[in-house]
Amino acid sequence: MKAYVLNFKEIDKTKLMAVGGKGLNLGQLSRIEGLRVPDGFCVTTEAYRKSIESSIELEVMIDKLSGLKSDNRELTSEISSEIRSTIEKLVISKDIENEIEKALFLHGENEAYAVRSSATAEDLPNASFAGQQDTYLNVKGKTEVLRHVVKCWASLFTDRAVIYRIQNGFDHKKVFISVVVQKMIMSEVSGIMFTADPMNSDRKTLSIDAGFGLGEALVSGLVNPDNYKVQAGKIIEKNIGTQKLEIKPSQNGGVEEMKVEADRQKRAALSDNHIEHLAAIGKRIEAYFNYPQDIEWCFANNDFYIVQSRPITTLFPIPQSIDVRNPRIYMSIGHTQMMTDAIKPLGMSFFEMISQFSLDKSGGRLYADITHDMASAMGKKRVLMATGKQDPLILSAVKKLMEDKAFMASLPKGKRNLKGGVITGASILQAIKISKKNNPAIIDELLAEFEEEFHGIDQQLSKLSGEQALEFIREDREKLLAMSYDARMLGAIIAGIMVNDSLNKNVEKLLGEKNVADTLSKSMEHNVTTEMSFALCELADEIRKYPKILTYISNEPSDEGFFEKMLTLPGGNEVYKAFKVFLDKYGMRCPGEIDITKARWEEQPTQLIPMLLNNIRVLEPGRHVERFKKGRQEAKEKEAELIRRVKALSGGNKKAKKIAKSISLLRNFIGCREYPKYYIVRRYQVYKKALMKEAEMLAAKGVICNREDIYYLYFDELCQVVKTNKLDNSIIEARKANYIHYEKLTPPRIITSDGFVPSCAIASENIPKGALPGIAVSSGVVEGRARVVLSVDEAKLEAGDILVTQFTDPSWTPLFVNIKGLVTEVGGFTTHGAVITREYGLPGVVGVENAIKLIKDGQRIRVNGTEGYIEVLE
């Protein structure tokens, strides 16, 4: 007969399915010599199984639940509530009750206990399920313990637990629940300790949150806890929270809130000695489990007690190197490309196709090993120069790493990895040549060449299939790279960037005015991203003419039959033609477009609807044209003003002539930086059509289940599958599960092979107290309502809103027509959001760490795009 109760000392690594994640970890913790773990036992999953197995009603309700998706919240809540109510009415059988009673007698019938749920899908390496089931504190007496065991069983079906399982792909029928019954510690102080920093995945920094009383005050968010940071056993940072409340055990069972005396409210909850002692305990536990831990602890009678430990599931995995003996440094490529989302394997393969250096894969992202670059004086200069423009926070992290002289001296020397990119000898020579001629006709000549090459590839590839098509794509890589890094186009881009910097410096020196290039960059020619935004506004203006079409797209139509249904409505033919014009030129674009697996606008045209509706709701017809003309006029007026003021200076005519030439050069070339990416993405869509044709054939043969399954294969693997028509589908399923996990992780900008993540913080002495520092990329100061937006399709912006997001790419450009300021977590001076804000004359600050967490949707904020900071006003 299977046991209904197991004492902690009886629990070993084989007992997960009997006692759940929490129970298993307590069994392991109780084996660590010298560690104080409050004694107790687990009511096993077998007791839960036996208690519910005879209820047909429960089985039917759980079946109903299994068919729901996470966005069906109302029905999920209704069924979950019914399930909980049914479970709470269960009567525990006598044999189970007897075993619990014996365990209570052994551990002390009159003791107070904490009764906690412990599910079999809980405290696992990839899914913690933390806080999904219920915990009951200070439970006294057999009757109350039994009652709360049943309540814990019911908590397996709280709304939050059910939705979490749906989102993480766990079958409700395959998750069972054990209940931990553990002696209560009447804590004076309690809290949570992370043996690695969960905010940035830094394995070298241990983080402790501490508050007075029981841990429930901290967990439920009633107090601002103290936070202590510890490195190598030494405290490096202390933030003391003001704690006005604490939770204490009630005399008759349960807990109660109490006010903290005034003299204790701002006092540190733990002394320095206690902090360092607790940190040492944490490192012992981490060493035992051989993985960073999330540890619940409490302090009473001058000693620490550990009541739980689980793996930290949000840590970004360290890229793996063949060289395990020497330290390595890895740099995020996603941050430099404005694409920090997880990428599927096929997307990674095509990302590598446009890279001129080797990349490492980790956590669904791509990293460049810059170890040998940082070990070389010349390589170091190149890293610092490149990152300064692309993502200044990477630059800040690299500089922080360089402060550790011993670490830098330990780096192995070898062949540098980073090469190519925008800054090359050839592109610099072209930049000089283009700057001298200052003739924008070179751009049109290059675009004509790119167009001709693109159409030739499209025609050739459309005639091929099978291995021939894939081999054509493989061989086309050299032409793709030649186009992507064409020295003439890069020279034009560099010419624009260089004159932007020099113009700002010269005018500030002569006239004392900062960032004049921001105004002079408004409404430029040769900006394919702005042209796309215009085209979308034209499409919106066409739609607004036809009320039936507007109603149709407002009712969330599906992509399937989208145009067919449109054509049955008045104005459908006209709007369809307008859509066709837009998609013929820009249909290959989408959010995260550098990932070939992302659905393009021509594949899912309904992605455009939120932006179209925003434009229709906020803009008057033709407003985009007026705005462009106004921007161009403002730039001309600014130019005339600067020339007039410079001429008034000593030697003014000569200086004014130089300024005028710089302004001309700026307006001729600053807008062309998006062209290489535009043509890469166009080429990708030609490739993708060929890939999806093969995917359809593989699906028809039963080799894969769905067309999109090929996204979980690397390109070389796909070539092999097309050749052999064989595939182990368990590979696809495993990678799908990994991708779901990777999506939730936050990739660090820089990480070392031993898990150190250097701080990206930028010096902020000159900003107001409490302001959020960032990188000033477009001058001006503006106040407005913050709109925190995580994806383009959920954007609902009104005129005057300030867009706050992780990053933007060209697919976001249409939203800039409606906003009056921009804040992003990722970016630099030359990245998409920075360029567009300058062109539209919008104040912009990028590189604001944790902006989407620290700024709440709807708050009024002030964006200072001149000095580079954000103030939350309410």
Side-chain angles (χ1 to χ4, degrees), residues 124-125 128 193-198 286 291-295 310-315:
L124 305 176
S128 73
M193 169 169 50
F194 297 95
T195 63
D197 194 327
E286 179 184 82
Y291 194 83
Q293 296 289 297
D294 168 0
I295 299 165
R310 61 178 70 87
I312 304 175
T313 61
T314 57
L315 292 182

Side-chain angles (χ1 to χ4, degrees), residues 120-136:
T120 52
E122 184 176 71
D123 294 348
L124 305 176
N126 283 352
S128 73
F129 281 75
Q132 301 307 316
Q133 282 82 46
D134 289 343
T135 290
Y136 303 95

Side-chain angles (χ1 to χ4, degrees), residues 216-358:
E216 285 303 291
L218 189 151
V219 171
S220 58
L222 288 176
V223 298
N224 291 319
D226 293 356
N227 178 256
Y228 317 122
K229 304 280 189 187
V230 180
Q231 280 184 4
K234 299 298 180 185
I235 301 166
I236 61 165
E237 186 181 325
K238 285 170 66 174
N239 292 300
I240 310 303
T242 301
Q243 301 184 44
K244 297 182 179 180
L245 294 172
E246 62 182 324
I247 292 180
K248 288 283 194 180
S250 178
Q251 192 171 355
N252 298 319
V255 296
E256 58 185 339
E257 283 184 23
M258 299 181 71
K259 287 186 178 179
V260 175
E261 302 90 335
D263 65 328
R264 280 204 300 145
Q265 287 183 6
K266 294 184 179 180
R267 188 192 305 166
L270 292 177
S271 70
D272 287 3
N273 286 340
H274 284 142
I275 293 169
E276 290 173 2
H277 177 48
L278 178 59
I281 292 172
K283 284 300 179 183
R284 280 183 60 204
I285 295 171
E286 179 184 82
Y288 180 85
F289 286 105
N290 197 30
Y291 194 83
Q293 296 289 297
D294 168 0
I295 299 165
E296 294 176 31
W297 57 270
C298 50
F299 181 76
N301 303 317
N302 205 36
D303 213 342
F304 286 102
Y305 295 82
I306 304 301
V307 294
Q308 189 50 246
S309 185
R310 61 178 70 87
I312 304 175
T313 61
T314 57
L315 292 182
F316 194 83
I318 303 168
Q320 297 299 305
S321 172
I322 298 172
D323 180 6
V324 295
R325 296 172 301 171
N326 294 304
R328 315 296 298 185
I329 306 172
Y330 301 97
M331 180 178 74
S332 167
I333 296 301
H335 283 87
T336 67
Q337 292 292 327
M338 298 288 93
M339 173 61 186
T340 58
D341 294 344
I343 306 177
K344 298 182 181 79
L346 191 64
M348 286 189 173
S349 291
F350 279 86
F351 203 117
E352 287 179 296
M353 282 182 72
I354 58 171
S355 175
Q356 294 176 294
F357 45 85
S358 63

Side-chain angles (χ1 to χ4, degrees), residues 440-460:
I442 182 67
I443 302 297
D444 294 315
E445 291 169 16
L446 284 169
L447 298 182
E449 283 183 32
F450 292 169
E451 282 289 331
E452 185 179 356
E453 183 176 307
F454 166 76
H455 288 297
I457 288 163
D458 189 11
Q459 289 175 5
Q460 291 176 68

Side-chain angles (χ1 to χ4, degrees), residues 520-588:
L520 297 167
S521 299
K522 288 182 179 180
S523 304
M524 300 167 298
E525 303 297 332
H526 285 130
N527 189 320
V528 68
T529 307
T530 305
E531 290 167 7
M532 179 185 72
S533 180
F534 260 57
L536 196 69
C537 288
E538 295 290 338
L539 177 55
D541 282 352
E542 186 67 21
I543 289 169
R544 75 170 87 230
K545 295 178 186 175
Y546 304 101
K548 293 285 186 184
I549 300 294
L550 183 55
T551 301
Y552 170 60
I553 69 167
S554 298
N555 289 329
E556 300 183 1
S558 67
D559 285 293
E560 188 175 348
F562 174 66
F563 288 121
E564 287 82 353
K565 291 175 185 175
M566 179 186 290
L567 286 166
T568 65
L569 301 171
N573 194 50
E574 290 80 1
V575 173
Y576 170 73
K577 287 177 181 176
F579 254 107
K580 189 79 167 53
V581 168
F582 180 86
L583 292 175
D584 281 348
K585 189 165 185 181
Y586 303 109
M588 76 297 176

